[in-house]
C-alpha cells in the first residue's frame, strides 16, 4: 500500500479505483499550454530487492537481490543524476507496444521472449518522498510514454539491486 506520508499528500484527491492503479485526469481549462508536451504527474511506490516479469504486481516475484546497502542519499543521487532529463527506456514486455502487429503483453503472457527497443523520453522532475526498509515512494513529472514500471526496474538496477512497482497514482495529466 502507499505509505502514510503519501496517503496524506493524496487524501484530498478523488481517484477512480483500478486494482493497482488509481487514476485521475485533471485538465486545466482556459489555459494555453506553453508547449505541446503533455505532462503526467505521478506518485509511485517501489519495492527494492525483488523483481517480477511484469515489473509490477501483475506477476509473482521471480528473483530477490540485496537491498540493505541502499541509503536515502544513494537514492537521491541516482534519481537526480540518472533519471532527470532525456533518458533511454526499454518498455516492459508486458506493455501495449506492438511487435509484428501483436501487443507485447499478449506475447509475454504466452511465455515467449519479448525484445523491445529503447525509447527516448523525458522525465522533468523526480523526487524521493519516503524511504523505509525495502519501500520507497517517489513523485514523477514526465512526458507521455514513460513506463513507471520500467522506471522502477531501472532505479533498482541503478542502485545495484532489483525493484518493482507496488503502487501507482497518476494525479494529473496536462500542464
Amino acid at each position: 500500500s502507499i505509505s502514510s506520508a503519501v496517503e496524506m499528500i493524496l487524501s484530498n484527491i478523488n481517484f477512480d479505483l483500478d486494482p493497482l492503479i488509481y487514476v485521475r485526469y485533471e485538465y486545466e481549462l482556459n489555459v494555453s499550454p506553453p508547449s505541446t508536451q503533455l505532462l503526467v504527474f505521478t506518485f509511485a511506490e517501489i519495492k527494492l530487492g525483488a523483481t517480477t516479469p511484469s515489473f509490477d504486481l501483475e506477476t509473482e516475484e521471480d528473483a530477490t537481490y540485496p537491498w540493505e546497502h541502499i541509503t536515502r542519499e544513494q537514492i537521491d543521487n541516482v534519481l537526480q543524476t540518472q533519471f532527470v532529463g532525456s533518458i533511454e527506456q526499454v518498455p516492459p514486455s508486458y506493455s501495449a507496444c506492438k511487435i509484428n502487429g501483436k501487443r507485447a503483453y499478449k506475447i509475454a503472457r504466452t511465455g515467449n521472449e519479448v525484445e523491445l527497443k529503447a525509447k527516448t523520453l523525458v522525465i522533468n522532475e523526480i523526487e524521493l518522498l519516503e524511504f523505509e526498509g525495502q519501500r520507497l515512494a517517489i513523485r514523477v513529472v514526465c512526458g507521455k510514454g514513460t513506463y513507471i514500471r520500467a522506471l522502477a526496474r531501472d532505479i533498482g538496477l541503478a542502485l545495484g539491486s532489483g525493484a518493482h512497482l507496488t503502487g501507482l497514482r497518476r494525479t494529473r495529466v496536462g500542464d
Side-chain angles (χ1 to χ4, degrees):
S1 70
I2 300 291
S3 66
S4 58
V6 177
E7 284 292 338
M8 286 177 47
I9 293 168
L10 300 174
S11 64
N12 293 324
I13 300 174
N14 180 23
F15 293 99
D16 297 321
L17 182 60
D18 191 50
L20 176 62
I21 303 170
Y22 295 82
V23 180
R24 180 176 180 220
Y25 298 108
E26 293 180 2
Y27 297 96
E28 296 187 20
L29 302 175
N30 302 319
V31 177
S32 299
S35 71
T36 59
Q37 183 187 17
L38 184 66
L39 296 179
V40 181
F41 297 76
T42 305
F43 288 97
E45 184 177 79
I46 297 169
K47 180 181 179 184
L48 297 170
T51 58
T52 71
S54 61
F55 309 151
D56 63 14
L57 297 176
E58 182 181 341
T59 55
E60 296 292 321
E61 291 181 4
D62 62 349
T64 58
Y65 302 87
W67 57 271
E68 297 84 355
H69 65 280
I70 300 170
T71 66
R72 182 179 192 93
E73 292 75 26
Q74 285 177 300
I75 297 169
D76 279 327
N77 182 54
V78 162
L79 293 179
Q80 297 311 311
T81 61
Q82 297 183 39
F83 296 102
V84 175
S86 181
I87 68 167
E88 294 289 312
Q89 183 184 72
V90 177
S93 297
Y94 288 76
S95 69
C97 295
K98 288 191 176 180
I99 301 170
N100 298 325
K102 292 186 178 181
R103 299 282 183 192
Y105 68 84
K106 289 185 178 182
I107 298 168
R109 287 185 180 135
T110 64
N112 292 314
E113 279 288 313
V114 175
E115 286 191 39
L116 296 168
K117 294 179 182 173
K119 296 181 179 185
T120 301
L121 54 93
V122 175
I123 297 181
N124 300 70
E125 299 174 27
I126 191 165
E127 175 187 11
L128 178 62
L129 300 174
E130 187 173 323
F131 171 55
E132 185 177 329
Q134 288 181 263
R135 304 222 177 251
L136 61 101
I138 59 174
R139 181 183 66 84
V140 181
V141 178
C142 57
K144 184 180 173 190
T146 303
Y147 284 93
I148 302 299
R149 293 176 287 149
L151 183 62
R153 170 208 55 206
D154 297 341
I155 290 169
L157 288 171
L159 291 167
S161 185
H164 64 279
L165 188 69
T166 58
L168 177 70
R169 289 187 183 192
R170 288 192 183 102
T171 59
R172 193 168 97 201
V173 175
D175 292 326

